[in-house]
Amino acid sequence: MKPFQKKIIFAAIAISCLCIVGCWIGDFYYSRSFINAFQLYDGIKVRRATLNSTKWIDIWGTTTKEVGLLSKGSDKDLFDDLCDLYGDNTYNREVAIPGDGYYTANHPPCAGIDVISNKDFDAEHPAGTSLADIMTIQYRSAVKFIENGYKDKKDYMEDIRKPLDELQPTDLTLSIRNIFLIFDKEPDVLETHGLTFFWTTTEGITYTTSFNYDFTLPEGEVEPYTVSIEYDTIYNYTPKH
């Protein structure tokens, strides 16, 4: 074999190896469930979104523990029990971990979300009143995909949007990916509002967190995640859910 032919073969092998490494999406494991892990949490956090639109808000549970497909002992038993609880136990396929096929869900599910401000938003929304009727929630759920026998990926890949005040207690069951909150309108006065978020679980526990949201920031800019809010009008507020 001529030297240049050897070089070509070597280069081809090297490129193939790089492609294999570059395309690695994780190790494959057999799974009887579509959901690969459940996140247990004891609070919530929010931030101005860095995906989709910085005018949106991310909200998520603060994970205390994760139990999943690769867990051992009692944690694996808990994961299996939760899969049975949600009827997710006949997927029976190989999944890549980590990778795009790795899906986690909150337990217990969120049954309702509400938002208030420490300032007047507009004439219909004075400080301390719910803003849920002027906000939209966007999320994805695996429930329909599971109930339909894991047949159509559209059942979990399509974003679901609805007015936040129309969110039903079962809507966020097996929610996957990000949960976004979106303001449908801006306040009458563009300034920083101290927002308080209420997340109520299906077990009746309500978690809260606060966040300074600067309505003057243009798209693409994200303010520091600092909280320094004075509350004068919301001490007697009762979450809607």
Side-chain angles (χ1 to χ4, degrees):
M1 183 179 294
K2 295 180 180 180
F4 77 93
Q5 292 177 318
K6 292 181 179 179
K7 291 181 179 179
I8 292 175
I9 293 173
F10 178 79
I13 294 173
I15 291 173
S16 297
C17 291
L18 287 173
C19 288
I20 292 173
V21 172
C23 295
W24 181 80
I25 59 173
D27 295 320
F28 284 86
Y29 299 87
Y30 175 81
S31 177
R32 72 185 188 115
S33 63
F34 172 71
I35 298 297
N36 306 130
F38 287 94
Q39 294 174 344
L40 314 181
Y41 57 97
D42 62 357
I44 59 170
K45 287 186 178 181
V46 295
R47 67 176 179 180
R48 198 155 178 160
T50 54
L51 299 173
N52 294 27
S53 167
T54 57
K55 290 289 189 179
W56 296 12
I57 298 170
D58 276 326
I59 185 167
W60 70 97
T62 53
T63 304
T64 56
K65 187 175 186 178
E66 182 176 293
V67 295
L69 180 63
L70 303 185
S71 295
K72 305 293 184 182
S74 59
D75 285 353
K76 182 60 164 60
D77 292 338
L78 175 57
F79 172 69
D80 289 339
D81 288 344
L82 290 175
C83 289
D84 291 338
L85 175 66
Y86 293 107
D88 182 18
N89 49 24
T90 58
Y91 191 56
N92 299 328
R93 303 174 196 179
E94 285 196 334
V95 297
I97 300 178
D100 289 339
Y102 187 72
Y103 294 99
T104 63
N106 291 317
H107 178 78
C110 175
I113 296 174
D114 204 0
V115 185
I116 62 175
S117 174
N118 67 335
K119 296 181 180 179
D120 294 343
F121 199 90
D122 55 27
E124 291 75 35
H125 301 87
T129 59
S130 174
L131 303 177
D133 62 321
I134 54 171
M135 298 184 74
T136 294
I137 185 169
Q138 177 175 302
Y139 61 95
R140 293 184 186 182
S141 170
V143 168
K144 186 177 179 181
F145 181 61
I146 295 168
E147 290 179 344
N148 289 341
Y150 312 101
K151 295 176 181 178
D152 192 346
K153 290 183 178 180
K154 288 183 179 179
D155 287 341
Y156 70 85
M157 293 187 68
E158 292 184 345
D159 293 324
I160 301 171
R161 278 194 177 198
K162 62 168 42 184
L164 182 57
D165 64 342
E166 295 181 10
L167 188 70
Q168 299 301 306
T170 58
D171 284 343
L172 293 177
T173 300
L174 297 186
S175 61
I176 55 178
R177 305 295 191 188
N178 295 69
I179 298 174
F180 294 108
L181 301 179
I182 308 159
F183 280 100
D184 299 326
K185 60 178 295 186
E186 293 184 322
D188 288 344
V189 178
L190 296 183
E191 57 183 339
T192 298
H193 280 243
L195 302 178
T196 298
F197 298 79
F198 300 85
W199 167 303
T200 302
T201 73
T202 54
E203 296 178 349
I205 300 173
T206 298
Y207 297 112
T208 66
T209 190
S210 299
F211 179 66
N212 284 336
Y213 189 97
D214 188 350
F215 284 94
T216 68
L217 285 180
E219 179 70 71
E221 292 190 21
V222 180
E223 69 270 57
Y225 303 151
T226 57
V227 176
S228 56
I229 302 170
E230 296 295 331
Y231 298 99
D232 297 320
T233 60
I234 65 173
Y235 288 112
N236 296 322
Y237 177 78
T238 300
K240 293 174 61 178
H241 299 283

